[in-house]
Amino acid sequence: MNRPNACLIATLIPWVCACCVFPAKADQPGKTTPDGTTVRAAVATDAGGPAANVSGNNVSGNKVPGSKVPGNKVAGNKVAETPTWTDPMVAARESAAFGFLGEYIKDRQAIQVVPCEGRYYLSIYQGGLPGAGWDRGRIQHEWVQADSIADRLAGLTKVDRSGSLTFPTPPENAVVLFDGKNMDHWAHGKILNGLLQAGAKTKDQFQDFQLHFETMVPFKPELPLAHPGRGNSGVFAVGAYEVQVCDTFGIDFAPDRWKIDNVQKHPDTWCGSIYGIRAADVNMCLPPLAWQTFDVDFTAARFQDGEKISDARMTVHQNGILIHDDIPLPEGTGGGPSGPRDEVPRGAIYVQNHHNPTQYRNIWIVPRD
């Protein structure tokens, strides 16, 4: 994948990403929807649609207060005011679109449904869902109007894979970085109702390690697919190599779909990617407002006399599925005028703030150095 070649520096704070809206490219998606029009109809807020399945989304009885968050600014580019939900219970009450968001199965066919700009984007898989039976064949897609989505999904069963994930407790040799109780291990950051908010940096530095974290991205249904305003965040190993966190649920890696579906960014910047270096082997992103797990096995670059003698390497499991297998990292991730982040022999863990209310919990690390 090609690295984005024109980004803006969001802020001088080091744990905030220097990357923003995807730059113009010959193969960048256009600005229209598949039928050639722009759909900006407001998402209905009356009750309706199938009951939202929110099992697996509760956090020890805590709810993130409020439902809608004011519009965001991403790296100086104003994102239009857009409804934003950070709590599944509130979203279920207020947004009809949230009731249809999610994954469905019938026999050997599976569908992911993404509310997007007043309509619904459907990705249709044969054999099962990604990471759960999909035959890796070509994904089919449909755009469905809001008044037709209930009929389209009739007869399918909605499933909640987040509710069946394993959310492991830390092993005895782990350093518990965040358990919802305090910020003792963090130089920066804040807790809201037991959850770590995006924008934090550990006090300690690490070299080689296994890192576990869990994250939930907000629900922002009126933005285009893969828009950076859809929950953009990320977690950096030693402050140099980012595992991307954002809402790219249900989007297809196939390049021919990017223009058709008005996809805003390329797959090497989607959720689970090693940002700008490598797309995930499979799009394992679950729906927004569902808890997701990441397990990162990281080996730092080695240096001798100030020169790098071996690349950093990274293995990543997302929601229990291997998406990067011992990948060499030739440079730091990032972008902007200053280029990739400096590679270092050891460093802090950064939880990126990119002006989105993305939340984290159950963060622990097992150092190997």
Side-chain angles (χ1 to χ4, degrees), residues 98-305:
F98 185 75
F100 296 106
L101 167 73
E103 299 183 313
Y104 298 78
I105 57 174
K106 183 179 181 180
D107 301 325
R108 288 183 53 78
Q109 188 177 86
I111 299 179
Q112 293 179 324
V113 178
V114 182
C116 181
E117 298 185 283
R119 297 190 295 176
Y120 295 86
Y121 179 66
L122 275 58
S123 292
I124 305 165
Y125 306 85
Q126 300 303 319
L129 290 161
W134 174 40
D135 65 8
R136 296 295 186 107
R138 186 169 179 82
I139 306 167
Q140 302 300 311
H141 300 279
E142 298 175 16
W143 283 93
V144 179
Q145 299 294 335
D147 59 1
S148 302
I149 188 64
D151 290 340
R152 176 63 181 85
L153 299 177
L156 281 75
T157 300
K158 192 172 187 180
V159 297
D160 173 22
R161 288 197 285 173
S162 177
S164 61
L165 286 177
T166 298
F167 300 110
T169 56
E172 291 185 0
N173 58 340
V175 177
V176 178
L177 297 176
F178 182 75
D179 62 3
K181 298 177 182 178
N182 59 64
M183 296 293 293
D184 292 350
H185 286 280
W186 301 88
H188 306 279
K190 67 177 182 179
I191 301 174
L192 180 61
N193 287 345
L195 303 177
L196 180 68
Q197 305 303 295
K201 172 188 175 183
T202 61
K203 295 177 181 177
D204 292 335
Q205 296 190 347
F206 303 93
Q207 184 178 42
D208 304 337
F209 55 79
Q210 293 176 311
L211 173 69
H212 175 88
F213 65 91
E214 296 162 16
T215 185
M216 182 172 69
V217 299
F219 178 50
K220 305 177 80 171
E222 292 191 21
L223 293 177
L225 299 174
H227 192 285
R230 280 185 176 249
N232 196 353
S233 181
V235 174
F236 284 80
V238 301
Y241 313 93
E242 179 186 10
V243 176
Q244 175 76 339
V245 172
C246 60
D247 172 20
T248 49
F249 169 65
I251 313 179
D252 194 344
F253 283 169
D256 64 318
R257 295 302 310 186
W258 301 344
K259 186 174 182 179
I260 295 171
D261 299 326
N262 191 25
V263 176
Q264 299 288 295
K265 300 187 77 176
H266 285 185
D268 65 351
T269 66
W270 291 1
C271 191
S273 68
I274 303 173
Y275 190 93
I277 292 178
R278 187 179 191 274
D281 288 337
V282 61
N283 185 359
M284 279 306 303
C285 189
L286 293 180
L289 299 188
W291 281 106
Q292 307 188 53
T293 66
F294 283 85
D295 291 279
V296 179
D297 190 289
F298 178 78
T299 301
R302 296 305 197 255
F303 297 82
Q304 184 174 321
D305 299 326

